[in-house]
Amino acid sequence: MGTTRHTHHHSCTLCEATCGIVVTTEGDRVIDIRGDEHDPASRGYICPKATALADLHHDPDRLLRPMVRDGDTWREVGWDEAFDLTAERLKRIRAEHGKDAVAVYQGNPTAHNPGLLLFGQPFIRGLGTRNLFSATSVDQLPQMLASYLMFGHQALLPVPDIDRTDLFVCIGANPLVSNGSVMTAPNMRGRLAALRQRGGRAVIVDPRRTETASRAEHLFIRPGTDALFLLSLVHVLFTHDLVNTGRLGEHTVGVTAVKAAAMDFPPERTAPITGIAPEDVVALARSIATTERAVVYGRVGICTQEFGGLAAWLLVVVNALTGHLDEPGGAMFTTPAIDPIPLAKRAGLDGSFATYRSRVRGLPEFSGELPVATMAEEIETGGDGQIRALITSAGNPVLSTPNGTRLDRALGQLDFMVSIDPYLNETTRHADVILPPTGPLERSHYELLLTMVAVRNWAKYSPAVFKRDSDQRHDWEICLELASRVLGPDSLRMPGKLAASALERLGPDVMVELGLRSGPHGLRKLAKGLSLRTLKKHQHGVDLGPLERRLPDRLFTPRKKINLAPREYLDDLDRLRGRQQAWQPGELVLIGRRQLRSNNSWLHNSERLVKGKPRCTLLIHPDDAERSGLADGQHAVLSSRVGEVEVPVEVSDAMLPGVVSLPHGWGHGRDGVRLDVASAHPGASINDVTDEQCVDELTGTAALSGQRVRVRAVRPATV
Ligand SMILES: Nc1nc2c(c(=O)[nH]1)N[C@H]1C(S)=C(S)[C@@H](COP(=O)(O)OP(=O)(O)OC[C@H]3O[C@@H](n4cnc5c(=O)[nH]c(N)nc54)[C@H](O)[C@@H]3O)O[C@H]1N2
Ligand SMILES: Nc1nc2c(c(=O)[nH]1)N[C@H]1C(S)=C(S)[C@@H](COP(=O)(O)OP(=O)(O)OC[C@H]3O[C@@H](n4cnc5c(=O)[nH]c(N)nc54)[C@H](O)[C@@H]3O)O[C@H]1N2
Ligand code: SF4
Ligand SMILES: [Mo]
């Protein structure tokens, strides 16, 4: 009825690509979401998930007011009541049982939410508990550890310079579906097509012929064996005289130690284990070394496995030994407009490793966090330091961490749980209080974290699309309020030593302004430098150019040297040597997969993203299907030491024989969730099968990939 339409420029914050979007609204409705053609990074590209931002915004299941649980029923309460109750319970538990009795789990959307990053972190760190957990330990922890041990800072992650490389070696990542991770690069399909067009190559190393692999050269690898494969690559580099550390040679220590370590792993010895033929290893090593602009990149597949630590280290080693570190077309470092590293430094977040260990299983701390694979047992096991209360923020660990069934049970035995989350889902149903934050269209956005790992330097600020309701709270406001009530009004000392009360009025935008001005592209450095005002004028964002050489200046190691051979890794090689067994016939191992129309566990409540045939299927090679008496479409029971799920099978020769694949993030059939659409498309949770005892012993990262499983037909196939 004559309401005017407005267009807003914003970013999709669902995944790391952070594509620019144009949102058309009419009154309080989203009418349309499309790609912003003038966004310097995404240039009009979006994936099908962007439109789901509208579904999230209008989702009748989205919580808008705090909820308090009374037994099995929930009631909406005012913010004061919710905060009072939460603070009172958390304070009492801390007073009675000590700081470690309150645990925290932070999930993935934290990374896409600058308010939560800037204000959540100080609150959570301020609790002073050892029981901090996050999705990091089911994800990129090994890569952060490598950066910490080799470059001196956990956040100094190398990024593949995808637009200038001529050889993209991609190990354990599927960027055509994930849209790139630790590589903010919207439209990977376009970028890989451009690579081919300029005569370049992409080589994918993966146990499945993925969407990315089917458009590139592909080497099948047995899950969990990447460290062996990479050591053989290093072996060939040395034995074929292909090592050339280039410009950074004089800033690198440990080359001899790496050489000595690799000599035990000639490709002939590792081939029967990895499944990659020696001649393929030699050819690839030669290509990497002789292509001027080449890069070796890896992600989730190399991290969440038994030797994730070693594999993440060796990726950097190969790039360094072939002169592709910090060189155009290689593995480079960004120059973000707001540099999070000084911020992290001030918050004491440079990194740390194994300075203490978890109480029950002795898993190492990383940067003040313990591996989430141990969270359930830390709740269940009595004694000093037992977890009695849990704060979850932007996470759904019941679906996203190994042995979700056990965690599900353990959460039920907590004295108190509070969740900062917009949904009543598989995890938050255990909470006593849910504090729902504003949604992505109701807050301003500056891309703080992902500009650290983008393939070009760029900056963008977007004001909120919708003004939030006066009775809604941003994540950062929730964290600030909790900090003030649980830890005291002056507990949050942010950069610049502003007290909580001052920050309350200022919020993340002011932090962005301060960060921009003091950053490398800021007003202080350049006459026409960046400030919030200049960014507000450039609503599509500002391109700050291609990545530039940053080393050795950007190194944070004591002597400003790249440490190619940290002791931690050399010591872990013995464990790897002990595990060099060829595969047993009939052995079956599990890997995961991601799907374009979903994002971890929390986008299945959008009808347009879940419609169509069920997607939570078990991919299995025809030979394995036949041996198990399974036909396409039939239901199978997938089982392991910890549990079993029933899933339809999809017979596919894209799988390496002996490997089956189930996507993660499904399993919405649990009682008590308020997810209308998702509950009608529940699927099964892979993490009801993954074993929380399987970890990379070096880093504590969950070894989700490569676990032994069994598959049997629900009913034998009829003949
Ligand atoms: N088997 C297996 N397991 C895996 C993986 C795998 O590949 N295989 N992948 C792992 C990886 S890489 C990751 S990152 C983890 C993800 O693990 P999690 O982060 O634990 O899970 P998500 O599904 O991302 O859950 C996000 C939660 O945040 C809420 N949320 C969304 N936006 C916001 C917000 O702005 N503020 C707040 N406060 N809450 C919000 C959602 O409602 C949801 O409850 O899963 C891991 N688990
Ligand atoms: N559409 C969509 N996009 C997403 C997400 C999503 O859920 N859906 N999640 C986001 C998140 S949180 C993240 S962290 C990123 C992840 O981004 P990616 O890492 O690019 O995504 P994955 O699909 O997990 O890719 C891992 C690949 O490793 C392979 N793999 C498994 N085990 C092994 C192994 O032992 N060795 C090797 N070499 N490969 C192995 C798998 O087959 C898979 O192809 O994606 C992000 N983007
Ligand atoms: S790739 Fe899709 S989900 Fe990711 S930011 Fe772009 S539009 Fe959003
Ligand atoms: Mo992730």
Side-chain angles (χ1 to χ4, degrees):
M1 257 222 328
T3 322
T4 27
R5 292 193 169 186
H6 293 280
T7 49
H8 311 258
H9 295 88
H10 212 267
S11 293
C12 174
T13 48
L14 294 175
C15 89
E16 291 175 52
T18 57
C19 302
I21 51 174
V22 183
V23 185
T24 309
T25 59
E26 196 176 274
D28 62 358
R29 303 293 302 174
V30 178
I31 302 298
D32 184 51
I33 296 180
R34 53 190 61 199
D36 180 356
E37 281 170 25
H38 302 293
D39 181 287
S42 60
R43 302 185 181 282
Y45 174 84
I46 48 169
C47 86
K49 286 186 292 299
T51 43
L53 285 169
D55 303 345
L56 282 177
H57 183 73
H58 296 300
D59 190 344
D61 288 333
R62 175 158 78 110
L63 307 177
L64 299 172
R65 306 280 174 269
M67 305 260 286
V68 167
R69 188 157 55 84
D70 289 321
D72 285 341
T73 57
W74 290 92
R75 66 188 164 88
E76 257 187 29
V77 299
W79 283 97
D80 252 337
E81 183 179 342
F83 282 131
D84 278 346
L85 178 65
T86 305
E88 188 255 320
R89 299 293 296 277
L90 290 179
K91 276 164 77 171
R92 182 152 22 109
I93 290 167
R94 275 161 60 91
E96 279 173 19
H97 301 286
K99 292 177 179 172
D100 293 337
V102 175
V104 183
Y105 174 84
Q106 293 177 272
N108 169 275
T110 314
H112 308 269
N113 186 328
L116 196 48
L117 277 169
L118 287 167
F119 291 77
Q121 215 51 25
F123 163 53
I124 284 160
R125 299 277 161 170
L127 288 167
T129 171
R130 286 189 169 194
N131 284 313
L132 288 187
F133 305 90
S134 80
T136 294
S137 51
V138 282
D139 192 348
Q140 79 288 357
L141 193 161
Q143 293 184 294
M144 293 176 76
L145 178 63
S147 289
Y148 172 64
L149 295 175
M150 302 176 82
F151 308 131
H153 200 286
Q154 57 162 350
L156 206 59
L157 295 160
V159 184
D161 186 12
I162 190 74
D163 296 337
R164 289 185 290 182
T165 199
D166 293 319
L167 174 62
F168 178 56
V169 181
C170 171
I171 311 179
N174 186 13
L176 278 198
V177 167
S178 69
N179 286 299
S181 182
V182 191
M183 169 174 68
T184 288
N187 191 8
M188 275 303 291
R189 188 179 296 250
R191 289 175 205 264
L192 288 177
L195 165 70
R196 272 195 306 273
Q197 235 153 41
R198 62 178 179 265
R201 296 165 58 200
V203 179
I204 315 299
V205 183
D206 202 293
R208 177 168 76 91
R209 192 170 60 248
T210 60
E211 295 76 357
T212 312
S214 55
R215 283 170 191 78
E217 297 165 51
H218 179 210
L219 294 171
F220 277 109
I221 187 168
R222 287 190 169 143
T225 65
D226 298 80
L228 290 168
F229 161 64
L230 288 162
L231 277 162
S232 288
L233 271 183
V234 173
H235 182 278
V236 174
L237 292 176
F238 281 108
T239 52
H240 290 61
D241 203 18
L242 294 166
V243 170
N244 175 8
T245 50
R247 176 178 59 90
L248 291 174
E250 58 178 305
H251 305 286
T252 305
V253 295
V255 178
T256 323
V258 166
K259 179 177 181 182
M263 285 309 120
D264 277 357
F265 301 92
E268 296 73 24
R269 196 174 294 162
T270 58
I273 310 157
T274 62
I276 300 183
E279 56 274 22
D280 289 335
V281 179
V282 174
L284 187 62
R286 196 175 289 286
S287 296
I288 297 170
T290 57
T291 305
E292 197 187 330
R293 294 184 166 198
V295 64
V296 183
Y297 161 79
R299 267 306 278 125
V300 167
I302 59 128
C303 287
T304 55
Q305 53 153 296
E306 199 181 349
F307 297 100
L310 287 176
W313 162 56
L314 290 161
L315 278 186
V316 183
V317 167
V318 173
N319 282 320
L321 290 178
T322 49
H324 297 312
L325 191 62
D326 201 38
E327 284 296 321
M332 300 194 77
F333 301 92
T334 52
T335 312
I338 297 183
D339 187 357
I341 287 185
L343 290 172
K345 276 201 157 317
R346 264 175 289 197
L349 287 173
D350 290 351
S352 58
F353 179 55
T355 57
Y356 52 90
R357 288 185 174 262
S358 69
R359 191 177 56 110
V360 179
R361 213 192 307 172
L363 295 179
E365 151 279 338
F366 176 65
S367 267
E369 291 185 8
L370 289 170
V372 70
T374 187
M375 189 159 77
E377 62 202 8
E378 292 290 341
I379 297 171
E380 290 166 353
T381 312
D384 238 18
Q386 180 183 10
I387 298 172
R388 292 163 190 273
L390 175 66
I391 302 170
T392 71
S393 170
N396 191 3
V398 167
L399 294 192
S400 61
T401 69
N403 200 352
T405 319
R406 179 176 180 181
L407 181 64
D408 208 356
R409 248 192 337 262
L411 296 184
Q413 92 185 43
L414 288 166
D415 291 347
F416 181 73
M417 175 168 156
V418 56
S419 293
I420 308 173
D421 202 288
Y423 282 105
L424 176 43
N425 64 17
E426 298 75 15
T427 296
T428 62
R429 71 196 174 116
H430 292 288
D432 298 280
V433 181
I434 304 179
L435 304 170
T438 50
L441 299 180
E442 292 157 340
R443 54 185 185 235
S444 62
H445 186 70
Y446 174 86
E447 193 44 74
L448 189 65
L449 206 69
L450 300 174
T451 47
M452 265 305 267
V453 291
V455 299
R456 261 183 100 82
N457 295 312
W458 104 111
K460 178 171 172 175
Y461 173 85
S462 322
V465 171
F466 291 109
K467 204 167 163 331
R468 56 125 185 235
D469 218 86
S470 62
D471 205 21
Q472 280 180 285
R473 295 283 183 280
H474 296 303
D475 279 290
W476 68 269
E477 293 172 307
I478 296 171
C479 291
L480 211 52
E481 189 67 36
L482 287 177
S484 154
R485 292 194 191 219
V486 178
L487 304 174
D490 287 329
S491 57
L492 283 198
R493 298 248 169 226
M494 305 287 283
K497 300 226 173 357
L498 292 171
S501 54
L503 279 168
E504 199 154 3
R505 292 195 305 275
L506 302 176
D509 284 6
V510 168
M511 312 277 291
V512 167
E513 174 75 319
L514 294 173
L516 283 172
R517 281 170 182 267
S518 59
H521 309 273
L523 282 170
R524 233 193 266 165
K525 312 272 174 359
L526 308 161
K528 286 189 180 164
L530 291 180
S531 67
L532 198 54
R533 201 155 62 97
T534 51
L535 281 189
K536 278 180 177 169
K537 269 197 261 172
H538 295 88
Q539 52 192 359
H540 307 287
V542 177
D543 185 23
L544 300 168
L547 303 184
E548 290 168 353
R549 294 184 180 96
R550 301 297 315 269
L551 303 188
D553 289 359
R554 190 107 161 120
L555 291 171
F556 292 90
T557 42
R559 287 161 49 229
K560 278 209 180 284
K561 299 272 187 213
I562 299 165
N563 184 1
L564 217 54
R567 169 88 355 237
E568 290 81 350
Y569 297 123
L570 301 179
D571 288 348
D572 200 34
L573 288 171
D574 271 344
R575 192 169 62 95
L576 183 66
R577 282 189 199 95
R579 218 54 67 83
Q580 293 185 60
Q581 297 141 1
W583 269 36
Q584 307 301 311
E587 186 176 320
L588 216 51
V589 303
L590 179 64
I591 62 169
R593 72 181 184 276
R594 288 181 152 74
Q595 300 176 311
L596 196 58
R597 289 176 175 274
S598 90
N599 192 35
N600 299 330
S601 76
W602 69 285
L603 286 188
H604 297 144
N605 215 40
S606 158
E607 187 65 52
R608 77 178 107 197
L609 291 186
V610 288
K611 67 177 186 224
K613 54 180 192 173
R615 291 204 311 266
C616 185
T617 58
L618 187 73
L619 294 179
I620 185 167
H621 187 272
D623 296 350
D624 295 318
E626 196 186 319
R627 190 156 7 90
S628 316
L630 279 162
D632 196 63
Q634 211 181 344
H635 280 235
V637 174
L638 173 73
S639 63
S640 70
R641 180 189 76 86
V642 306
E644 57 179 49
V645 292
E646 192 184 313
V647 279
V649 303
E650 210 178 318
V651 177
S652 163
D653 67 3
M655 295 305 301
L656 177 68
V659 185
V660 291
S661 159
L662 193 68
H664 79 285
W666 297 89
H668 308 293
R670 287 164 157 91
D671 289 338
V673 303
R674 192 178 293 177
L675 298 163
D676 226 31
V677 178
S679 307
H681 307 262
S685 175
I686 186 176
N687 289 321
D688 288 340
V689 175
T690 55
D691 188 336
E692 85 287 5
Q693 297 296 319
C694 295
V695 296
D696 168 20
E697 281 165 33
L698 172 63
T699 67
T701 310
L704 300 166
S705 240
Q707 295 192 10
R708 292 285 290 269
V709 287
R710 292 174 300 276
V711 170
R712 64 171 197 275
V714 170
R715 277 174 300 281
T718 41
V719 259

